[in-house]
Amino acid sequence: MYQELADRACERITAAITYAEVAQNKRPVKAILDPYNPEGSTRHVKFNTSKEDRWQTHPGRCHLNWVILDSDWCGRETHRYLPDFVVRVDDGQPDPLNVVVEIKGYRGEDAKDKKLAMDTYWIPGVNRDGRFGRWAFAEFTDIWTVQSGFEEMIAKAAKSDA
């Protein structure tokens, strides 16, 4: 347990240093893509599940019929990150803004690690690459502030693009 805590502390210190250097344009972050599947898509998702935690989507707004709760992260194991949603927003720029959205009822250590990784590595890396459009990350913990928080995040992203 102590080794896990020490590793997490070291990762957060390293990420904080990297985040500061990226923000000051002192250190670029490079996205390393999967060479066999550089672009992900839900276009071909088709599977059956026995999971009880699921939500039916609106057919006019989403090409998926169900969204499945997939939250079983623990410890310092390597994981593949699957966001809750990716929302494409027309914010008046020539290309839409892709927003990775996480909804959290409880914000545990794993959620903090995900946000830190997205803000420090993934978002700067994919935006620097430029081949996949513009990206941002949003995490919401209170259902009553999702709309205002989303609007604030879009306005902030639009200012940084201007």
Side-chain angles (χ1 to χ4, degrees), residues 45-63:
V45 172
K46 184 176 180 177
F47 66 91
N48 295 323
T49 184
S50 60
K51 288 191 175 186
E52 295 292 325
D53 293 330
R54 56 185 176 223
W55 180 71
Q56 191 168 13
T57 64
H58 186 281
R61 296 183 179 183
C62 183
H63 60 279

Side-chain angles (χ1 to χ4, degrees), residues 26-141:
K26 291 182 179 179
R27 181 185 208 186
V29 173
K30 182 177 181 181
I32 307 296
L33 305 175
D34 180 343
Y36 301 105
N37 186 21
E39 296 181 31
S41 173
T42 56
R43 182 177 301 128
H44 304 291
V45 172
K46 184 176 180 177
F47 66 91
N48 295 323
T49 184
S50 60
K51 288 191 175 186
E52 295 292 325
D53 293 330
R54 56 185 176 223
W55 180 71
Q56 191 168 13
T57 64
H58 186 281
R61 296 183 179 183
C62 183
H63 60 279
L64 299 177
N65 59 347
W66 291 93
V67 177
I68 308 300
L69 173 65
D70 187 26
S71 182
D72 57 356
W73 280 27
C74 61
R76 303 305 307 153
E77 305 165 16
T78 300
H79 299 282
R80 281 187 71 185
Y81 172 59
L82 299 171
D84 292 336
F85 303 97
V86 175
V87 179
R88 299 189 86 186
V89 178
D90 180 358
D91 62 348
Q93 299 294 323
D95 58 338
L97 177 65
N98 300 290
V99 183
V100 177
V101 179
E102 280 289 328
I103 308 294
K104 297 289 175 210
Y106 168 74
R107 192 164 189 263
E109 294 303 313
D110 62 329
K112 293 175 187 176
D113 289 341
K114 287 179 195 178
K115 179 169 177 35
L116 187 64
M118 290 297 288
D119 289 343
T120 305
Y121 301 110
W122 199 86
I123 295 296
V126 76
N127 282 334
R128 182 174 181 267
D129 182 281
R131 291 181 286 168
F132 303 100
R134 297 176 305 121
W135 288 81
F137 178 74
E139 179 185 52
F140 301 107
T141 57

Side-chain angles (χ1 to χ4, degrees), residues 143-156:
I143 191 170
W144 304 110
T145 61
V146 170
Q147 183 173 348
S148 61
F150 197 79
E151 290 169 354
E152 182 180 314
M153 190 271 316
I154 297 299
K156 182 180 173 185

